[in-house]
Amino acid sequence: MLYVGIDLGGTGIKAGLITEDGTILAQADCPTGVERGHEAVIADMAKLALTVIEKGGKTLDDVKSIGIGLPGVQDPRTGHVPFCTNLYWHDVPVIELMNKYIDKPIYFDNDATVAGLAESVAGVSAGVKNSVFITLGTGVGGAIIIDGKPYSGANGVGSEVGHMITVIDGEPCTCGNSGCWERYASATAIIRMGREVAEKKPAGSIARAVGGDLSRITAKTIFDLAKEGDPDATELFNRYVYYLCVGIVNIINCVDPEVLVIGGGVSKAGDFLLNAVRAKLPSMVFYKAMPYARIELATLGNDAGIIGAAMLGR
Amino acid sequence: MLYVGIDLGGTGIKAGLITEDGTILAQADCPTGVERGHEAVIADMAKLALTVIEKGGKTLDDVKSIGIGLPGVQDPRTGHVPFCTNLYWHDVPVIELMNKYIDKPIYFDNDATVAGLAESVAGVSAGVKNSVFITLGTGVGGAIIIDGKPYSGANGVGSEVGHMITVIDGEPCTCGNSGCWERYASATAIIRMGREVAEKKPAGSIARAVGGDLSRITAKTIFDLAKEGDPDATELFNRYVYYLCVGIVNIINCVDPEVLVIGGGVSKAGDFLLNAVRAKLPSMVFYKAMPYARIELATLGNDAGIIGAAMLGR
């Protein structure tokens, strides 16, 4: 059987026709147009699903289910999306509305969860029973895969590893707490730290790399300078790696996965980042003489969304 | 069938003959005598197991398995206890050595894990599929129960929630990191904070409560004063509740259990502590409009060790 996977984001919708083992047979996309409201967005998701089935030369009979990854969670009491800040959704019955157009089982889950599931089916953690996926971007998302299945917890509020408090009374977070891990381990955190250094040193290497326009500092600015051995960027990079490892160690000490996969924009720093994390961890894990999670970089990139969403119905 | 559960601690060994549903039919205990080495301790564990079977009027044929809770973990590569600081053990093949005396399946797991399992079978979280147990004592231990079974992770290093880093660059911890949750949420942490206040205010309420001998400050000293409304103790208590909630929220945001059970010496503060934690959490959880773990106090007390150890073989 085949599966349709839909990756619903704030700016675009992507859909793919996917095989049992996570291979993409056909794909299509369109803009989200959040301002049109959820009914129009869901109608477009259904249309895209039918498009990729046709593009793949198949019919609805070949499809077992349709899965959706979205920037929200499922309320176990209602089965609805309780809220979705990026889409301006509130209490949306996604499954019912999709079924108006397509009479197939519909599944949905958080976008990070779906990306983690994709890696565990067709990516770097393929075949691994227990893995954790973290995505380092604007924020920090996470997915816990146990026995090959996404683990969302008893109330659907789990795997929000970005909101582990790692600094009591630390940086204020958008969630209302302070000191959340994503304030220290996201791309946003690297940019904030980079600006702080550049403000202190207006003639320093970081400020010079962006021609004095500090709003142009990105994670890549810092990583590129650190790769060249620039002292300010190296110091910042080392601090970032420590912050990143704090959360990774917390995950290892609690969830103890077989593999921990690093994805998201920051993971584009590649082996430079991976090797630094791998070098730092041994001194930080609790059981120093015991084996612990293998740390790997995600391999599926942007395709993880549609592959993982499709796999929700497996 | 019946089960034998053994609770191996640094000072004493307790054994119990336990039914399928966690009822204790007979029990016995003896001092550990760690200085005699692991072979003598294991011989005594076997002897105690046979004693409780006899005391219960049963024979080995009525017993399905023997479980042991101990202050260590199981190395999945060897099946041995890799090390056990309190017992001075190093690479001890517990199962093989127990089988020299008793030819039954032998299981062992971490003492906190075993206590959490006990609560999930015969205690406050009975019948709950996914729960987390935290024990607040000298340190902070934890157990994660998923689908009714203790979850130790892929490498046996999981559920060490006490060593989540909650304060980057915080208090140095015995594990080599700094800022671990147990530095802020254990009885030891309350005592440290109490001493700090008493040192600053030698004529204050906390110092007076122990007649100026600050070495006599315990968690109960602080809780008793706070219950009476003493301002210094109340401030300290509120700070402690916040620290405790930080780790609880981290567990909720990651593992999202159905029930989170608080055990260990500090939990003797009872409803005073429980109500404070329950009042603080709603503003701290990530998904504020979604349900989250019910917070409960452990009910089995010291019996949790033998009951949970017995249940390892269920």
Side-chain angles (χ1 to χ4, degrees), chain B residues 187-269:
Chain B
T188 313
I190 303 171
I191 294 166
R192 184 190 72 237
M193 294 190 286
R195 282 187 192 164
E196 283 166 9
V197 174
E199 275 163 14
K200 262 187 237 157
K201 298 185 174 183
S205 54
I206 296 174
R208 275 186 282 120
V210 292
D213 179 1
L214 307 196
S215 71
R216 285 175 47 214
I217 294 174
T218 63
K220 192 170 181 302
T221 314
I222 309 300
F223 287 161
D224 285 348
L225 283 170
K227 280 178 192 169
E228 291 164 15
D230 173 75
D232 284 351
T234 300
E235 194 187 325
L236 196 160
F237 174 74
N238 289 340
R239 194 147 37 103
Y240 173 74
V241 167
Y242 174 58
Y243 292 161
L244 183 54
C245 286
V246 162
I248 290 175
V249 154
N250 287 359
I251 293 168
I252 288 171
N253 289 348
C254 288
V255 180
D256 180 22
E258 204 174 325
V259 176
L260 187 141
V261 181
I262 303 177
V266 174
S267 71
K268 290 184 189 149

Side-chain angles (χ1 to χ4, degrees), chain A residues 32-255:
Chain A
T32 308
V34 287
E35 67 288 349
R36 300 175 304 152
H38 67 265
E39 303 238 5
V41 171
I42 289 171
D44 278 356
M45 288 204 291
K47 208 183 289 173
L48 272 189
L50 298 172
T51 303
V52 294
I53 294 168
E54 203 192 321
K55 260 187 153 176
K58 305 288 176 182
T59 70
L60 254 184
D61 288 343
D62 301 311
V63 170
K64 195 170 167 197
S65 61
I66 296 177
I68 305 164
L70 47 78
V73 293
Q74 183 158 176
D75 190 324
R77 297 166 298 185
T78 59
H80 299 179
V81 175
F83 43 78
C84 199
T85 321
N86 294 351
L87 302 173
Y88 309 104
W89 283 13
H90 181 73
D91 194 33
V92 173
V94 178
I95 295 171
E96 281 171 52
L97 293 174
M98 280 294 286
N99 276 146
K100 273 174 56 181
Y101 305 99
I102 303 178
D103 184 24
K104 285 282 172 184
I106 310 288
Y107 303 94
F108 70 89
D109 210 326
N110 182 261
D111 45 13
T113 300
V114 152
L117 179 60
E119 293 291 341
S120 83
V121 171
V124 69
S125 49
V128 169
K129 278 175 66 181
N130 294 5
S131 60
V132 170
F133 172 81
I134 59 173
T135 167
L136 310 173
T138 310
V140 172
I144 301 175
I145 309 294
I146 294 183
D147 283 335
K149 286 174 293 198
Y151 176 84
S152 321
N155 304 287
V157 302
S159 83
E160 285 292 348
V161 295
H163 295 278
M164 280 189 295
I165 295 170
T166 51
V167 188
I168 285 175
D169 302 327
E171 292 279 335
C173 185
T174 49
C175 76
N177 284 331
S178 59
C180 290
W181 187 36
E182 75 168 32
R183 292 279 119 311
Y184 299 86
S186 59
T188 314
I190 302 171
I191 294 166
R192 185 190 73 237
M193 294 190 286
R195 281 188 192 164
E196 282 167 9
V197 174
E199 275 162 14
K200 262 187 236 156
K201 297 186 175 184
S205 54
I206 296 174
R208 275 185 282 122
V210 291
D213 179 1
L214 306 196
S215 71
R216 284 176 48 213
I217 295 174
T218 63
K220 194 171 180 300
T221 314
I222 308 302
F223 287 162
D224 284 349
L225 283 170
K227 280 178 192 169
E228 291 164 14
D230 173 75
D232 284 352
T234 301
E235 194 187 325
L236 197 161
F237 175 74
N238 289 340
R239 193 147 39 103
Y240 173 73
V241 167
Y242 174 58
Y243 293 161
L244 183 54
C245 286
V246 162
I248 291 176
V249 154
N250 286 0
I251 292 168
I252 288 172
N253 289 348
C254 287
V255 181

